[in-house]
Amino acid sequence: GQNIDQPTEMTATEGAIVQINCTYQTSGFNGLFWYQQHAGEAPTFLSYNVLDGLEEKGRFSSFLSRSKGYSYLLLKELQMKDSASYLCAVRDGDYKLSFGAGTTVTVRA
Amino acid sequence: IAGITQAPTSQILAAGRRMTLRCTQDMRHNAMYWYRQDLGLGLRLIHYSNTAGTTGKGEVPDGYSVSRANTDDFPLTLASAVPSQTSVYFCASSEAAGSTDTQYFGPGTRLTVL
């Protein structure tokens, strides 16, 4: 089976930076995704990494190290609207997505 | 822009009843997926379809069935609902399975089985 771990909860202050770590052990690897999910809503795509290194998209960046089975999502200049769950998902050797349980980020004023 | 629609939005169902959750996408995506999301467990794949006419089992397929008669629709049926099937169900689609395509999610159906 797949094993994807991420912290359950994180709290940060508006304007700060938060880093959400994700470690994984999967049967094969075909990319890692980060999704954002606001309470009561559908997950929405944030980022995709398939090669080692950092992908930057505005205030959000995602990093991948395949040899370490490790990724992080970096949220900069936090805004209240960033309060949400962040889901780490790995595409395995059969091209199926396996999701972590999600990290709930609370942004405080 | 509709994307993916799901119906109903929410449903309360008596145990033992049959229920079909509907999912329709207008993006002409080849691949479609059904997930359930439970607190503390994350999203788990129930069934998937790589293209119209084909389906496959995911991580938690027991008690569920799907069909894919055409590109747009991917209904999920609970033949005889049980309380452990209380969950939020998300349908998703991607342009093609077996590629780097991103999955896009519908708004979800919240199902309660009593």
Side-chain angles (χ1 to χ4, degrees), chain A residues 2 30 33 35 37 39-48 50 85 87 91 94-102, chain B residues 33 35 37 40-45 48 50 57 59 90 96-108 110:
Chain A
Q2 322 298 5
N30 282 296
F33 295 78
Y35 282 82
Q37 185 177 25
E41 298 183 8
T44 56
F45 169 74
L46 281 180
S47 70
Y48 169 70
V50 67
S85 284
L87 314 180
R91 196 195 300 273
D94 293 327
Y95 293 94
K96 299 297 175 290
L97 272 186
S98 293
F99 285 82
Chain B
Y33 313 84
Y35 294 89
Q37 187 174 37
L41 294 178
L43 287 154
R44 292 181 292 168
L45 183 65
Y48 65 92
N50 289 337
K57 294 182 179 180
E59 181 185 354
F90 287 101
S99 70
T100 58
D101 285 327
T102 301
Q103 290 186 20
Y104 297 93
F105 287 81
R110 183 175 296 275

Side-chain angles (χ1 to χ4, degrees), chain A residues 2-45:
Chain A
Q2 322 298 5
N3 189 23
I4 301 170
D5 291 317
Q6 50 182 129
T8 303
E9 295 179 331
M10 301 183 76
T11 300
T13 305
E14 197 173 15
I17 298 172
V18 70
Q19 177 175 315
I20 306 169
N21 296 324
C22 173
T23 58
Y24 63 89
Q25 290 178 305
T26 58
S27 304
F29 179 82
N30 282 296
L32 186 143
F33 295 78
W34 284 96
Y35 282 82
Q36 181 189 59
Q37 185 177 25
H38 286 100
E41 298 183 8
T44 56
F45 169 74

Side-chain angles (χ1 to χ4, degrees), chain B residues 34-54:
Chain B
W34 273 105
Y35 294 89
R36 59 178 289 173
Q37 187 174 37
D38 302 290
L39 196 63
L41 294 178
L43 287 154
R44 292 181 292 168
L45 183 65
I46 304 170
H47 284 288
Y48 65 92
S49 168
N50 289 337
T51 189
T54 69

Side-chain angles (χ1 to χ4, degrees), chain A residues 36 59-60 77-84 86 105 107:
Chain A
Q36 181 189 59
R59 293 188 298 114
F60 294 179
E77 301 170 18
L78 278 173
Q79 302 175 9
M80 299 300 288
K81 67 179 180 179
D82 298 330
S83 291
Y86 292 85
V105 172
V107 180

